[in-house]
Amino acid sequence: MFRWSESRHKKEPLLFQTVSEGLRSLYAQKLYPLEEASRFHDFHSPALEEADFSNKPMVLLVGQYSTGKTSFIRHLLEQDFPGMRIGPEPTTDSFTAVMHGDQEGVIPGNALVVDPKKPFRKLNSFGNAFLNRFICAQLPNPVLDSISIIDTPGILSGEKQRISREREQLGYTGLSFCCYGGYDFAAVLEWFAERVDRIILLFDAHKLDISDEFSEVIKALKNHEDKIRVVLNKADQIETQQLMRVYGALMWSLGKIINTPEVVRVYIGSFWSHPLLVPDNRKLFEAEEQDLFKDIQSLPRNAALRKLNDLIKRARLAKVHAYIIGSLKKEMPNVFGKENKKKELIQNLGDIYFKIEREHQISPGDFPSLKKMQELLQLQDFAKFQLIKPKLLDTVDDMLSNDIARLMVMVRQEESQKMNQVVKGGAFEGTMNGPFGHGYGEGAGEGIDDIEWVVGKDKPTYDEIFYTLSPVNGKITGASAKKEMVKSKLPNTVLGKIWKLADVDRDGLLDDEEFALANHLIKVKLEGHDLPTELPPHLIPPSKRRQE
């Protein structure tokens, strides 16, 4: 199959068979040279490798200890995985990548980061302190055929928080939780956040307490808000009134931490296989679980678009970084006073940001954190910086303006070919079919297994109304039906759909059974259920079934 794109350096067009191949080629030929020239990898993110473009979608779980992260994975897989430990105390002290494998087993971190087929090679830079707490649990599970799941250590508070702060006062730099296990916890999370497809923040409804450490973790996920979903777990342990208060408190707290104009989506439920302690909100939990499952199931289909979006964000950051490094290099003296000038430039980095923003019309949101950038610049030798190379910037601009636009066409084509490609197996199969599917036996599905017509039980009441509408030859006109149906106060668009469903024989009139069916569908809608797109067989009036 022929694919695009034209190259400035070659007469022959580049041929790409997949979006992943196109992204990999564009990165290597057009973006990587700018990153290398501007020392981008020393400040932000390591260079991307082939596995970063071809790996399965990944889901990152983040939360305080005992919020149910490991139980959540167990619930999705419906089986234990190697190295799994669950308990009320802090049990997960490692980053665990749960991935598909032909046989069950555990791969330690040092061996994992040298495997070119795994997207973890660049984690080697975090050293043995991290790698000793990083494992890959492999097992044959249908869920893992489509996605991989990253479990993270529970974020502590209380005494651990106090000790971390004392360490910081004694000279440790960075965020207060950066010393967990002797490695930069925040930096590892940022590394994963940049590469995963979905970030799920878990909270415990029974003991909602967002520690300072967890707040800082959430802030460290800035620029990845589009990937974040929030789960209020263990919601079956409290009564409805308490749940409303906890939900409100969580939304208020998240509004202060996640600085976005949109309200973050919070899924409420109990994500494990144990009986519900307080079953009053069963329907709510079922609906929320289905919404979350649909979101996760869509990841394989949208994986190419996510990778494209992440490459665009990376390219924009690389451009801004190149402007910053070029400006710093331009201001440095050739011989004397280099150290003093370096300190001055770092101190006035905010002014340099503003100058670049105004000169190149760049949004303030595209700039890296000022404080973090100042800390990183302290460790750099400005003499090794290079001036801006316009040709490299032009190449990236061309990629963003032309190549990416063409690649979008391929993304849509791949998505259309993957419409049925969803996560299967485990908990995702539990409510797909049978009487325990979401909404089965409710709303328009009520009476689906009954021998008698479900509308029949209320038909005598509907018949009394029907005969007051002066039927002719056993039928009423649309005008007569409308006078009665509008009393429901439903919008005309909804009533029009109900009319179309109820007029089974398509004669523009309603007999007593069709009128009863119309009122039943009105009742379904007023109770908050959706209307079917087509009339289900069990709702067809008995007389119309005989005709068919």
Side-chain angles (χ1 to χ4, degrees):
M1 182 168 57
F2 178 78
R3 288 292 185 266
W4 56 277
S5 87
E6 298 175 0
S7 170
R8 290 185 172 185
H9 307 293
K10 296 182 180 181
K11 293 182 179 179
E12 294 296 326
L14 297 174
L15 299 179
F16 300 139
Q17 295 299 320
T18 64
V19 173
S20 294
E21 181 186 342
L23 290 171
R24 184 168 58 247
S25 180
L26 287 178
Y27 174 73
Q29 295 184 27
K30 298 196 172 186
L31 181 55
Y32 179 78
L34 178 65
E35 293 183 353
E36 185 70 13
S38 62
R39 306 178 70 87
F40 178 87
H41 309 133
D42 295 338
F43 289 83
H44 303 288
S45 177
L48 300 179
E49 296 188 333
E50 183 172 349
D52 292 309
F53 297 99
S54 59
N55 66 297
K56 297 174 185 176
M58 293 191 290
V59 178
L60 177 68
L61 300 183
V62 182
Q64 298 179 164
Y65 75 92
S66 192
T67 54
K69 297 188 299 299
T70 306
S71 296
F72 182 87
I73 299 175
R74 171 69 177 77
H75 180 64
L76 293 184
L77 303 182
E78 291 190 341
Q79 73 174 98
D80 294 347
F81 57 88
M84 184 187 80
R85 288 192 300 151
I86 296 176
E89 75 284 358
T91 52
T92 303
D93 61 352
S94 302
F95 280 80
T96 304
V98 185
M99 308 182 77
H100 186 271
D102 294 333
Q103 295 181 341
E104 287 194 18
V106 173
I107 303 175
N110 281 287
L112 191 60
V113 295
V114 297
D115 186 350
K117 295 182 180 179
K118 296 286 194 299
F120 306 123
R121 285 165 58 91
K122 295 300 182 180
L123 284 169
N124 187 60
S125 62
F126 291 103
N128 281 329
F130 166 72
L131 296 179
N132 290 336
R133 292 175 173 82
F134 179 43
I135 62 172
C136 175
Q138 290 189 318
L139 68 158
N141 185 283
V143 174
L144 301 176
D145 280 333
S146 304
I147 61 173
S148 300
I149 307 173
I150 311 297
D151 194 9
T152 62
I155 298 162
L156 302 176
S157 56
E159 181 68 10
K160 182 68 179 181
Q161 173 177 311
R162 182 188 64 78
I163 294 173
S164 295
R165 286 178 176 168
E166 288 179 355
R167 284 182 169 185
E168 186 176 0
Q169 290 170 2
L170 291 173
Y172 286 83
T173 60
L175 298 174
S176 57
F177 53 83
C178 74
C179 299
Y180 278 22
Y183 62 91
D184 194 334
F185 185 76
V188 173
L189 273 182
E190 288 184 55
W191 188 95
F192 277 110
E194 186 177 342
R195 287 160 177 78
V196 301
D197 297 72
R198 188 68 74 235
I199 303 169
I200 298 181
L201 303 180
L202 281 99
F203 295 87
D204 187 342
H206 188 246
K207 48 179 182 181
L208 183 63
D209 171 31
I210 305 179
S211 67
D212 292 345
E213 275 67 25
F214 196 19
S215 297
E216 293 297 329
V217 164
I218 297 173
K219 291 176 182 177
L221 301 176
K222 184 182 179 183
N223 299 325
H224 303 289
E225 290 88 351
D226 57 317
K227 299 180 182 180
I228 294 178
R229 304 292 184 270
V230 176
V231 170
L232 184 58
N233 199 16
K234 304 184 182 181
D236 67 314
Q237 298 185 14
I238 56 178
E239 302 286 345
T240 302
Q241 189 177 19
Q242 290 176 301
L243 180 59
M244 291 175 62
R245 291 173 178 169
V246 170
Y247 177 81
L250 176 60
M251 295 297 290
W252 180 79
S253 299
L254 290 175
K256 295 196 303 179
I257 301 171
I258 303 177
N259 189 23
T260 58
E262 301 85 8
V263 177
V264 65
R265 176 65 163 96
V266 177
Y267 299 90
I268 306 172
S270 183
F271 294 90
W272 64 349
S273 57
H274 294 254
L276 300 177
L277 294 180
V278 181
D280 299 354
N281 297 306
R282 171 185 287 274
K283 287 185 178 181
L284 171 65
F285 298 160
E286 290 174 355
E288 292 288 278
E289 184 177 62
Q290 286 302 309
D291 285 351
L292 179 59
F293 281 5
K294 287 178 183 177
D295 184 73
I296 296 175
Q297 283 183 303
S298 69
L299 294 180
R301 187 171 64 247
N302 300 325
L305 184 59
R306 192 277 301 172
K307 291 173 183 175
L308 178 64
N309 184 59
D310 284 353
L311 186 69
I312 294 172
K313 289 196 293 186
R314 186 182 180 100
R316 293 167 67 93
L317 178 59
K319 279 185 59 182
V320 173
H321 177 77
Y323 285 127
I324 295 171
I325 297 300
S327 298
L328 293 173
K329 178 63 175 179
K330 189 177 180 181
E331 296 292 332
M332 285 295 290
N334 292 326
V335 183
F336 301 109
K338 290 184 178 181
E339 195 60 33
N340 290 335
K341 188 62 176 179
K342 174 182 175 179
K343 293 179 181 178
E344 179 186 337
L345 289 172
I346 293 175
Q347 185 176 355
N348 298 327
L349 187 60
D351 296 334
I352 296 175
Y353 274 22
F354 181 73
K355 181 180 178 182
I356 295 172
E357 174 190 338
R358 186 173 52 185
E359 183 177 346
H360 300 283
Q361 289 79 51
I362 297 174
S363 170
D366 288 346
F367 285 82
S369 166
L370 179 63
K371 182 179 179 181
K372 180 180 177 181
M373 194 69 177
Q374 287 173 324
E375 292 176 357
L376 292 171
L377 285 171
Q378 298 278 3
L379 308 174
Q380 295 293 322
D381 182 1
F382 282 27
K384 295 181 179 179
F385 290 171
Q386 298 181 23
L387 294 172
I388 294 176
K389 296 182 179 180
K391 185 177 180 180
L392 295 179
L393 288 169
D394 290 343
T395 300
V396 173
D397 285 335
D398 178 65
M399 181 189 80
L400 293 172
S401 301
N402 300 310
D403 297 323
I404 294 296
R406 296 179 189 133
L407 198 56
M408 277 296 299
V409 177
M410 284 184 64
V411 169
R412 297 307 179 193
Q413 290 175 350
E414 284 196 3
E415 282 185 347
S416 64
Q417 295 169 2
K418 297 179 179 179
M419 287 304 295
N420 297 323
Q421 184 176 343
V422 296
V423 181
K424 298 179 181 179
F428 297 98
E429 300 292 338
T431 56
M432 293 294 289
N433 302 301
F436 295 97
H438 179 57
Y440 190 95
E442 303 171 5
E446 182 184 355
I448 190 171
D449 295 324
D450 295 349
I451 298 176
E452 300 294 331
W453 188 38
V454 67
V455 183
K457 61 183 180 181
D458 294 320
K459 189 172 182 294
T461 303
Y462 301 142
D463 283 348
E464 292 181 9
I465 302 172
F466 178 78
Y467 288 109
T468 64
L469 300 176
S470 305
V472 177
N473 297 326
K475 295 189 176 185
I476 60 173
T477 64
S480 298
K482 179 180 179 180
K483 291 178 182 179
E484 183 61 32
M485 292 171 68
V486 295
K487 292 180 181 179
S488 67
K489 298 183 181 180
L490 288 171
N492 283 350
T493 52
V494 176
L495 293 175
K497 184 175 182 179
I498 291 174
W499 170 271
K500 185 177 180 180
L501 291 170
D503 185 14
V504 179
D505 54 15
R506 300 290 185 270
D507 62 354
L509 303 170
L510 298 184
D511 60 21
D512 60 321
E513 287 184 333
E514 291 174 324
F515 180 75
L517 174 60
N519 279 277
H520 178 77
L521 293 173
I522 288 174
K523 176 185 172 185
V524 166
K525 190 63 182 175
L526 290 175
E527 288 177 347
H529 301 285
D530 290 331
L531 295 172
T533 54
E534 295 182 0
L535 193 65
H538 73 280
L539 288 183
I540 298 175
S543 63
K544 303 299 187 290
R545 298 177 197 174
R546 287 194 296 270
Q547 290 179 6
E548 294 179 353

